[in-house]
Amino acid sequence: MVQQAVDILLVEDNPDDAELAIRALRKSNLANHLLHLQDGQEALDYLFNEKNTKPKLVLLDLKMPKVDGIEVLRKLKSDERTRTIPVVMLTSSKEERDIVETYKLGVNAYIVKPLDFEQFGTAVAQLGLFWLVLNQTPQ
Amino acid sequence: MRFEFKVVIGFIITLSLVILVGIYTYDNNDSQLKASRWVDHTHQVLYRSEQLLATLTDIETGQRGFCLTNNVDFLLPYYKGKENIYPQIRYLKQLTKDNPRQYARILKLETLIGKKLVFSDEVVELYKTHPEESIDLITSLKGKKLMDSIRLCFADLMNEEKTLLERRTLENEQQITKSNQVFLVMLSLTLLILLGLFYTIYLNLRARNRAEQKLVKASKEVEDLYDNAPCGYHSLDAKGFFLQVNHTMCEWLGYTREELIGKKHFFDLLNEEGIKTFQENFPVFKEQGFIHNLEFDLIRKNGISFPVIISSSAIKDNKGNYLRSRTTTFDYTEQKQANDKITNLNQELEAFTYTVSHDLRSPLRSISGYAQILEEDFGNVLNDEGKRVTSVIIRSSKRMGQLIDDLLNFSQIGRKELFHHHINMNEMVKQLVREFTEQEKQYALEFKVQHLNACQGDHNMIRQVWSNLLSNAIKYSQKKNSIYIEIGSSVAGPETIYYVKDKGAGFDMQYINKLFGVFQRLHRINEFEGTGVGLAIVKRIVNRHGGRVWAEGTLDVGATFYFSIPN
């Protein structure tokens, strides 16, 4: 698993939400190189491990045990090695302060998980398409 | 009449009366003097007349004595009498010049006396040569007759004079009585006016005394109010030293007045932060003349501080130089505690809504998501009842999600800070109308937008008000053949009223009080979709702008929703 190239790193503590997101991405055939990690600490460990390839997109939940999404984002965006990785917040929180804070830290997009499963699926699929297929990132 | 005027008038009247009494007394004295002179005059006439008669008697006696005794010694008074009698007559004539009748009598006397003297001379001279012939002459009674006439004349003269004396004495007495009466009346009048004047002055003095007592009482009350009001009062000089301080403030601080006035600077009572605030604001205050609601922590004598709110206005001289402040100080402890409590509660509420927004939505999404997976992946193994149940789960979880979202939205609107800007309502509504027309293509929408007055408000929130009202109007008109919505505004006094009118389902006016409540609905969910938050949000936004919301409606005819924004 470690050696495999990772396109999408999904950091989500809620297994149900993770499953639904993965299902939606898989429907669009975007889940082939997807790694799901369950909390912020795991995510940091993975991303700062030199052996691992950098993902093309990090989908980050906000509220997680141990290290939360904000903290992960801060560390990623303040480190030269990880700064260029696109990070998209995928969260239930519509709170203005969360949106403002993550943007200040340099988040690339902020998506509120729609309640409707269909909408949720569409949103995740479009997201994957945009960042993996359309978007260009520095090599 | 004013008191001073009264006193002056009284004084003038009294002075006039005193002058009048003086003039009258002088005049009266003068006429009394004249009257007594007349009495004297009469006495003198009488005396002189008697003297004249005595002289004549001397002459007569001398003549008779000589003729009886032939003694020349008797002729001595005779000649002396003859010598004196004419000056006496002249004197009498002089005295009676004023009285023609008496004067006439004197003239007659003069003639008679002349005759008598001629007769006497004749007798005396004849006696010297022919004594017998002389005796004959005497016995002829001519002399006696003359003498009788003279005596009669004298009697008339004296009687007249005596009558005059009586009359003049009486007149004099009457004059004295009358003048006494007049004097008494004038004196009484003066006395009365003086009494009146005294009474007026007394009344005025009494009134002044009472006013002074009242003033003293009032000033004591004001002093008491200043000292014991439930807020602190003090005054600072241009440097910031205490000039005056009330009892309440002294109590709060634990200092005596003497320890503060002239000795303590205001920033002696402040902490570092307070000193900074003071140094920033005191010059501004001296310049602009007022300052409102500055917060300070004042340090008591015992070192414990307490929060206060201070407002002050400056007293300046004619040239605009700062003299002193009038400062009120309110103990802010309780309010601050209450504010802290509110802040805490708000934070708790925020934490709660945050949790709701994050944690509650998550399992809901799972329910709805997994039910949908069930429908998609296992639709072929579910019978109809199983499919129906699954669809109910999906629908209900969606609805619950919607309820949570709306509720969060509603609570956010209560907490969000308002940013007031000029809002072009025409522009805003036209844009919304375009969006709705685009969104609801399936309906035949007809909007009639009147000119809308601009307003001051939070752009996003006001937009939400219009959006909610318009989507409501559309929603409740769906079952009609055509959708007609009218939008307009009017200025009414201090506020501008906006309205959205539709020809939709309307509502029964008896449920009007439920219209703007949270989760209050007048229609069943299968009639019209919705959570019952839209109008509650409208109400909350409008209220936060200081405006009002209300509605009019008739069932199956239509409804008009109004909201007002203060100008």
Side-chain angles (χ1 to χ4, degrees):
Chain A
M1 187 173 90
V2 179
Q3 280 78 21
Q4 210 180 337
V6 169
D7 284 341
I8 296 176
L9 180 67
L10 174 66
V11 190
E12 170 67 76
D13 66 317
N14 184 333
D16 296 347
D17 271 8
E19 192 185 336
L20 291 172
I22 292 165
R23 185 186 156 93
L25 288 166
R26 189 177 295 136
K27 270 192 169 174
S28 306
N29 211 16
L30 291 165
N32 298 335
H33 304 285
L34 182 140
L35 177 63
H36 171 219
L37 298 175
Q38 310 232 1
D39 64 54
Q41 190 55 52
E42 282 184 14
L44 289 175
D45 289 347
Y46 176 83
L47 286 165
F48 286 101
N49 188 335
E50 299 292 337
K51 290 179 218 158
N52 298 328
T53 54
K54 302 284 175 277
K56 285 183 180 166
L57 172 69
V58 177
L59 289 174
L60 194 58
D61 190 14
L62 256 185
K63 246 180 84 181
M64 288 183 295
K66 294 192 212 166
V67 180
D68 69 10
I70 296 268
E71 198 52 38
V72 174
L73 179 69
R74 193 195 318 277
K75 291 219 163 110
L76 287 182
K77 290 297 178 186
S78 59
D79 196 297
E80 207 55 50
R81 294 165 292 170
T82 51
R83 184 179 282 173
T84 54
I85 304 171
V87 180
V88 172
M89 303 309 293
L90 189 64
T91 170
S92 305
S93 169
K94 264 191 191 176
E95 287 296 310
E96 187 76 14
R97 53 174 184 170
D98 288 336
I99 299 170
V100 170
E101 205 181 345
T102 51
Y103 265 94
K104 275 184 184 161
L105 290 172
V107 79
N108 298 79
Y110 189 105
I111 310 293
V112 179
K113 295 175 189 166
L115 265 168
D116 189 313
F117 174 72
E118 264 174 65
Q119 282 178 24
F120 180 68
T122 317
V124 171
Q126 281 176 351
L127 230 142
L129 269 175
F130 176 79
W131 288 103
L132 293 188
V133 181
L134 292 172
N135 189 44
Q136 293 294 317
T137 46
Q139 293 306 308
Chain B
M1 216 184 337
R2 281 192 57 208
F3 166 73
E4 285 80 1
F5 193 62
K6 273 187 195 167
V7 170
V8 168
I9 291 284
F11 179 73
I12 288 171
I13 291 174
T14 315
L15 198 69
S16 312
L17 273 172
V18 169
I19 290 170
L20 266 176
V21 168
I23 291 170
Y24 181 79
T25 310
Y26 177 80
D27 193 51
N28 192 44
N29 276 353
D30 201 44
S31 52
Q32 267 185 32
L33 199 69
K34 274 181 193 155
S36 64
R37 268 192 200 137
W38 276 115
V39 173
D40 269 3
H41 180 263
T42 314
H43 276 297
Q44 215 160 19
V45 172
L46 279 172
Y47 172 68
R48 292 290 172 180
S49 302
E50 275 166 9
Q51 210 180 25
L52 186 61
L53 189 60
T55 309
L56 204 63
T57 313
D58 280 353
I59 292 170
E60 174 82 0
T61 315
Q63 177 230 311
R64 277 191 196 159
F66 174 67
C67 287
L68 283 173
T69 60
N70 198 19
N71 187 346
V72 191
D73 284 351
F74 279 104
L75 282 180
L76 215 69
Y78 175 81
Y79 286 121
K80 199 163 185 212
K82 270 177 75 178
E83 201 175 301
N84 286 340
I85 204 155
Y86 279 108
Q88 282 177 352
I89 291 171
R90 270 204 304 281
Y91 197 77
L92 258 175
K93 270 159 92 179
Q94 196 71 27
L95 281 176
T96 54
K97 252 182 187 164
D98 62 293
N99 191 333
R101 280 200 306 171
Q102 293 291 76
Y103 191 72
R105 281 193 185 108
I106 302 288
L107 283 181
K108 191 182 166 189
L109 261 178
E110 192 180 20
T111 317
L112 285 170
I113 287 169
K115 278 182 187 167
K116 167 74 188 156
L117 286 182
V118 170
F119 178 74
S120 292
D121 275 353
E122 206 179 319
V123 171
V124 170
E125 291 306 313
L126 205 58
Y127 189 79
K128 282 176 184 168
T129 50
H130 310 84
E132 296 85 13
E133 279 179 39
S134 160
I135 298 300
D136 284 347
L137 207 56
I138 291 168
T139 48
S140 72
L141 293 176
K142 191 185 173 187
K144 189 185 178 293
K145 275 175 188 164
L146 265 173
M147 203 60 194
D148 282 349
S149 294
I150 285 171
R151 280 185 203 281
L152 208 68
C153 202
F154 260 114
D156 281 353
L157 183 79
M158 310 255 275
N159 274 340
E160 169 100 23
E161 252 347 284
K162 275 179 185 161
T163 316
L164 272 178
L165 180 66
E166 261 173 36
R167 208 180 76 208
R168 280 175 183 162
T169 310
L170 193 72
E171 267 175 12
N172 200 11
E173 272 170 11
Q174 277 173 347
Q175 175 79 11
I176 286 171
T177 312
K178 194 181 136 203
S179 77
N180 273 348
Q181 279 168 349
V182 170
F183 188 75
L184 209 67
V185 166
M186 281 182 151
L187 201 68
S188 309
L189 212 59
T190 311
L191 210 66
L192 265 175
I193 290 172
L194 275 176
L195 270 173
L197 215 56
F198 171 78
Y199 186 66
T200 310
I201 291 172
Y202 165 76
L203 279 184
N204 183 268
L205 272 180
R206 202 171 62 170
R208 269 170 204 232
N209 255 336
R210 281 183 186 166
E212 200 183 302
Q213 278 169 359
K214 254 189 186 168
L215 208 67
V216 168
K217 202 178 152 212
S219 103
K220 268 185 188 162
E221 276 171 6
V222 169
E223 207 175 312
D224 178 70
L225 196 65
Y226 178 83
D227 256 336
N228 298 315
C231 64
Y233 292 126
H234 69 260
S235 294
L236 299 180
D237 67 10
K239 286 178 183 164
F241 280 99
F242 280 97
L243 278 173
Q244 209 178 347
V245 61
N246 77 339
H247 184 69
T248 309
M249 183 113 176
C250 289
E251 287 274 293
W252 286 350
L253 291 169
Y255 288 105
T256 63
R257 200 165 294 199
E258 291 70 32
E259 287 173 316
L260 288 171
I261 290 173
K263 287 175 189 153
K264 287 275 180 200
H265 194 284
F266 189 68
F267 61 54
D268 291 333
L269 306 173
L270 301 175
N271 54 22
E272 264 180 45
E273 195 191 338
I275 291 170
K276 232 179 102 189
T277 312
F278 181 80
Q279 281 170 341
E280 275 168 18
N281 287 292
F282 196 54
V284 177
F285 161 67
K286 284 196 286 188
E287 186 57 39
Q288 70 183 10
F290 61 87
I291 201 138
H292 296 304
N293 301 330
L294 271 190
E295 279 186 45
F296 285 110
D297 276 333
L298 292 187
I299 303 166
R300 297 180 214 266
K301 197 181 183 183
N302 61 15
I304 297 168
S305 61
F306 66 109
V308 293
I309 287 189
I310 278 174
S311 290
S312 190
S313 58
I315 302 174
K316 294 184 174 184
D317 65 13
N318 294 336
K319 290 170 191 163
N321 296 319
Y322 172 89
L323 292 177
R324 58 194 293 169
S325 68
R326 319 179 189 87
T327 313
T328 52
T329 309
F330 288 97
D331 188 338
Y332 189 47
T333 312
E334 280 175 29
Q335 284 100 313
K336 205 174 184 190
Q337 281 167 354
N339 276 359
D340 289 349
K341 216 171 177 181
I342 290 170
T343 310
N344 276 340
L345 282 173
N346 269 338
Q347 276 170 355
E348 275 175 33
L349 188 71
E350 211 169 321
F352 172 75
T353 52
Y354 187 81
T355 306
V356 167
S357 109
H358 193 271
D359 292 358
L360 224 57
R361 290 166 105 246
S362 205
L364 205 59
R365 197 166 40 246
S366 298
I367 294 168
S368 137
Y370 282 92
Q372 230 159 327
I373 289 170
L374 202 62
E375 201 177 45
E376 276 177 22
D377 294 1
F378 304 95
N380 51 345
V381 293
L382 284 174
N383 61 11
D384 285 352
E385 183 59 10
K387 282 177 191 162
R388 190 187 67 81
V389 169
T390 313
S391 75
V392 168
I393 294 171
I394 294 169
R395 204 170 59 235
S396 297
S397 54
K398 268 188 195 170
R399 179 162 169 73
M400 186 169 172
Q402 194 59 51
L403 281 169
I404 291 172
D405 274 2
D406 286 350
L407 188 58
L408 284 175
N409 204 353
F410 180 70
S411 94
Q412 261 176 355
I413 274 155
R415 288 177 288 137
K416 248 188 201 164
E417 204 180 330
L418 288 183
F419 296 101
H420 279 276
H421 293 293
H422 177 85
I423 299 173
N424 183 340
M425 292 292 225
N426 280 317
E427 202 61 40
M428 181 180 272
V429 169
K430 271 177 194 161
Q431 199 187 338
L432 280 164
V433 164
R434 266 200 304 277
E435 283 174 21
F436 277 111
T437 314
E438 181 67 25
Q439 236 170 63
E440 313 285 342
K441 271 181 191 159
Q442 69 269 37
Y443 303 113
L445 290 183
E446 191 194 335
F447 286 100
K448 188 184 177 191
V449 185
Q450 317 267 24
H451 171 78
L452 298 174
N453 294 80
C455 81
Q456 291 284 326
D458 187 295
H459 194 275
N460 288 339
M461 289 200 188
I462 297 293
R463 192 184 148 86
Q464 179 148 24
V465 168
W466 283 116
S467 175
N468 288 9
L469 290 178
L470 290 176
S471 71
N472 265 7
I474 294 166
K475 183 163 75 183
Y476 292 102
S477 302
Q478 277 168 13
K479 291 185 176 168
K480 300 271 174 172
N481 295 329
S482 64
I483 297 178
Y484 174 84
I485 294 164
E486 188 185 318
I487 301 157
S489 77
S490 63
V491 175
E495 54 184 18
T496 305
I497 295 165
Y498 302 90
Y499 69 87
V500 176
K501 188 175 184 179
D502 65 52
K503 291 181 176 172
F507 60 89
D508 191 336
M509 283 297 272
Q510 65 170 312
Y511 302 117
I512 184 111
N513 54 343
K514 285 193 162 184
L515 215 54
F516 293 97
V518 190
F519 296 136
Q520 298 280 359
R521 304 205 67 227
L522 298 186
H523 301 275
R524 285 196 303 278
I525 190 78
N526 51 8
E527 281 180 323
F528 295 102
E529 278 182 4
T531 53
V533 177
L535 285 179
I537 286 175
V538 166
K539 182 174 194 263
R540 188 169 264 200
I541 291 175
V542 171
N543 286 353
R544 284 201 66 194
H545 281 78
R548 308 172 289 132
V549 289
W550 68 100
E552 287 162 6
T554 314
L555 206 57
D556 290 327
V557 174
T560 310
F561 286 85
Y562 301 89
F563 69 95
S564 70
I565 302 288
N567 296 329

